[in-house]
């Protein structure tokens, strides 16, 4: 108990003012007591996720007690969490800008710094889903350009399950399904025409053209 020790040395110094060793011991205990108070304050700041402020408080504690390994270790941990926090913010901005690949990379680094952080882990999962959906969308667009609307639709449905809010996925899926429905109606019309049901065939063809002019 460094605070009580400082008080005791202070009393002893009052009895023997000339004893410089007592004065030095009092100062040392007082500094260590204040350092421990700052350590507790910094821990509360870490609990509140205010890691920038915690770093300042840990640094103030280390100025008073430079060789305290526990304070130094907690200070280093707070620095890592602060960096992870900054990387997470950057990743959120990247996701908002449709840069899921960069976001995933930054979130991986963030987790290396703050292993077990559930918020970072959850955001990383979300970013990975968006990245996969983006790749599937790109594949689907290529398939659509090649006329493989069935393959494109399958990829777009998977992409939608990964990233339901992405408008481009839904827009292209709607387009694919229209084309597939139109193709089905054309085939239906062909069968009807083969059986001389020309009126119903024309109706099927007309409906198909409305879906895929």
């Amino acid at each position: 108990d460094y605070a009580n020790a400082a008080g005791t040395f202070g009393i002893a110094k009052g009895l023997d003012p000339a004893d410089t060793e007592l004065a030095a011991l009092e100062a040392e205990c007082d500094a260590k007591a204040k350092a421990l108070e700052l350590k507790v304050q910094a821990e509360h700041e870490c609990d509140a996720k205010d890691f920038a402020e915690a770093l300042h408080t840990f640094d103030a504690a280390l100025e008073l007690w430079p060789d305290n390994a526990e304070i130094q270790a907690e200070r280093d941990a707070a620095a890592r969490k602060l960096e992870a926090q900054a990387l997470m913010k950057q990743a959120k901005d990247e996701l908002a800008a449709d840069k899921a690949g960069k976001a995933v990379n930054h979130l991986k680094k963030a987790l290396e710094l703050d292993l077990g952080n559930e918020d970072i882990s959850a955001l990383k999962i979300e970013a990975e889903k968006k990245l996969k959906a983006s790749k599937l969308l790109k594949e689907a667009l290529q398939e659509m350009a090649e006329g493989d609307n069935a393959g494109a639709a399958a990829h777009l449905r998977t992409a939608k399950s990964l990233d339901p809010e992405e408008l481009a996925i839904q827009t292209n899926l709607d387009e694919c399904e229209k084309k597939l429905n139109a193709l089905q109606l054309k085939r239906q019309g062909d069968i009807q025409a083969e059986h001389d049901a020309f009126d119903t065939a024309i109706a099927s063809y007309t409906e198909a053209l409305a879906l895929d002019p």
Side-chain angles (χ1 to χ4, degrees):
D1 186 339
Y2 291 104
N4 285 336
T8 301
F9 284 124
I11 293 171
K13 185 182 69 174
L15 297 172
D16 189 2
D19 191 328
T20 56
E21 184 178 355
L22 287 174
L25 288 171
E26 179 191 16
E28 179 184 349
C29 287
D30 185 57
K32 289 183 176 181
K34 289 178 180 176
L36 292 178
E37 288 177 5
L38 288 168
K39 173 178 173 290
V40 171
Q41 179 183 329
E43 289 168 347
H44 288 315
E45 290 162 347
C46 284
D47 290 340
K49 300 187 185 302
D50 189 356
F51 300 114
E53 192 60 33
L55 281 181
H56 292 308
T57 307
F58 278 129
D59 286 340
L62 286 168
E63 286 181 9
L64 294 168
W65 194 348
D67 58 349
N68 187 299
E70 185 177 357
I71 295 175
Q72 183 64 58
E74 290 190 27
R75 191 262 180 211
D76 293 343
R80 290 192 296 273
K81 288 178 181 292
L82 179 61
E83 187 177 351
Q85 197 176 59
L87 286 167
M88 184 177 178
K89 181 181 182 302
Q90 186 175 351
K92 286 181 178 179
D93 292 340
E94 288 163 344
L95 282 175
D98 291 328
K99 297 178 180 178
K102 289 185 176 180
V104 168
N105 288 335
H106 284 132
L107 289 166
K108 285 179 179 178
K109 291 179 182 177
L111 275 177
E112 289 173 2
L113 293 165
D114 190 4
L115 189 64
N117 186 305
E118 293 181 359
D119 292 335
I120 297 175
S121 294
L123 189 61
K124 177 174 171 285
I125 291 170
E126 178 187 344
E128 287 171 339
K129 286 181 178 180
K130 285 183 176 291
L131 180 59
K132 178 62 175 175
S134 176
K135 290 179 179 179
L136 287 168
L137 174 59
K138 186 176 179 180
E139 289 179 28
L141 291 173
Q142 181 62 37
E143 289 166 335
M144 288 174 70
E146 296 170 354
D148 182 8
N149 292 302
H155 282 135
L156 288 166
R157 290 186 192 104
T158 303
K160 183 181 177 181
S161 71
L162 295 168
D163 190 3
E165 303 301 322
E166 177 52 57
L167 182 60
I169 294 173
Q170 185 62 59
T171 300
N172 284 283
L173 179 56
D174 290 344
E175 183 65 23
C176 272
E177 289 178 338
K178 282 182 180 180
K179 289 180 179 293
L180 290 171
N181 288 335
L183 180 60
Q184 182 63 33
L185 285 164
K186 178 187 176 298
R187 289 172 178 167
Q188 178 179 307
D190 291 342
I191 294 171
Q192 290 164 338
E194 288 175 5
H195 291 82
D196 298 331
F198 298 113
D199 288 342
T200 53
I202 289 171
S204 295
Y205 291 140
T206 301
E207 190 177 349
L209 284 169
L211 291 171
D212 187 10

